[in-house]
Amino acid sequence: MKNIIPLLGLLLFACPFIHSQFNKDPILNIQNEDKKFLNWGYYLGFNQYDFQFEYENDIGQDILVDKSFGFNVGLIGEMRVNDFVDLRFEPGLLYTQRILGFPGFTDESDAIREVRSTYIRFPLLLKLSTKRFGNWKPFIIGGGYTAINLGSNEDSLDDNSSGEFRMKKNVFGYELGFGIDFYTEYFKFTPSIRGVFALTDELVPDNDPNSPWTGNITGMRTRGFFINFTFE
């Protein structure tokens, strides 16, 4: 329920604006906005990241992940291909936090690991749009990304036996999403929802191959979603 409340608040805030864009005969705003070969903008948003674990042996107890909302901010560079296709580069900064609960421990200091991650992301995306309907235009978007995790601790000599949970610094993956472009009088405003899926294993195993924390993990990959609000 606590994760739904921010979404409902944003929806209520946006309702009057969205209603004005869906009028039957609206005055067309910034009609030449999509005809430029290059377009620039920025985005703000929030995210919720999870982990997908793969195990060597099924012991009947999964690692628990307590998720929280983080934030993302970045820039946009867009190249027009035609009326319906755009190539976009969206470098940005993303902060997220996850708390992991490992089974089999009685001491909370051993069972709980707090994972704070700050990613610098470099997505290259293809945006496929429909034709424009008055002052709005829906689209789908997808592509690949590479990211640098500034909080990875990959090179640390300490591991979970010393309370240090380590992750790899470089991450590769893809994202998929959809959204709607709204054409206001002065700029284009775009809310979009994205799903993000890491392809690379992000876990740095503990030094002990039989570690009670990482010994049974064969893969750990980020799964999550984020909502962006773009201004162009």
Side-chain angles (χ1 to χ4, degrees):
M1 178 62 71
K2 66 179 181 180
N3 295 337
I4 300 298
I5 292 175
L7 297 178
L8 293 177
L10 288 170
L11 181 60
L12 292 174
F13 175 78
C15 275
F17 169 77
I18 293 175
H19 175 72
S20 68
Q21 301 301 310
F22 283 89
N23 287 337
K24 184 177 180 181
D25 297 308
I27 298 174
L28 295 180
N29 299 320
I30 49 176
Q31 298 183 45
N32 296 321
E33 174 68 18
D34 294 335
K35 296 181 180 180
K36 295 181 290 186
F37 178 65
L38 295 176
N39 191 32
W40 313 99
Y42 66 94
Y43 63 86
L44 305 169
F46 58 90
N47 65 75
Q48 189 177 75
Y49 270 32
D50 197 352
F51 282 126
Q52 181 186 56
F53 289 95
E54 298 172 5
Y55 303 100
E56 182 175 352
N57 299 304
D58 183 7
I59 60 174
Q61 291 179 301
D62 292 338
I63 298 171
L64 302 179
V65 184
D66 184 16
K67 306 175 290 293
S68 61
F69 280 108
F71 67 88
N72 18 289
V73 60
L75 302 174
I76 296 170
E78 180 180 79
M79 184 181 73
R80 179 179 183 271
V81 178
N82 57 42
D83 289 342
F84 305 103
V85 180
D86 299 288
L87 185 65
R88 294 168 68 93
F89 181 53
E90 300 185 356
L93 181 71
L94 183 149
Y95 173 81
T96 189
Q97 177 178 303
R98 291 155 284 190
I99 298 177
L100 305 182
F102 290 88
F105 293 99
T106 56
D107 192 335
E108 183 176 323
S109 63
D110 291 330
I112 302 299
R113 291 290 180 266
E114 185 177 17
V115 182
R116 297 183 179 182
S117 301
T118 300
Y119 294 99
I120 300 177
R121 304 179 72 253
F122 303 97
L124 186 61
L125 307 170
L126 197 64
K127 178 182 177 183
L128 305 177
S129 305
T130 68
K131 70 175 184 178
R132 177 171 169 173
F133 301 97
N135 284 324
W136 61 283
K137 183 170 67 173
F139 65 88
I140 59 174
I141 192 169
Y145 73 87
T146 181
I148 300 172
N149 184 359
L150 300 181
S152 70
N153 298 321
E154 181 176 5
D155 299 326
S156 174
L157 297 179
D158 294 329
D159 61 11
N160 279 292
S161 61
S162 303
E164 188 79 41
F165 185 84
R166 299 178 297 182
M167 296 174 61
K168 294 178 182 177
K169 181 174 293 185
N170 297 308
V171 184
F172 300 92
Y174 67 94
E175 63 183 72
L176 300 170
F178 64 93
I180 301 178
D181 290 328
F182 292 105
Y183 299 82
T184 72
E185 187 175 354
Y186 301 107
F187 60 90
K188 183 167 67 175
F189 170 70
T190 306
S192 65
I193 300 176
R194 315 280 183 88
V196 60
F197 309 90
L199 295 174
T200 52
D201 180 12
E202 298 178 65
L203 178 69
V204 176
D206 291 339
N207 301 323
D208 179 5
N210 297 315
S211 163
W213 292 275
T214 66
N216 194 40
I217 301 175
T218 58
M220 184 188 75
R221 295 172 177 82
T222 287
R223 295 289 186 269
F225 77 90
F226 54 88
I227 296 178
N228 278 348
F229 300 96
T230 299
F231 303 85
E232 300 178 62

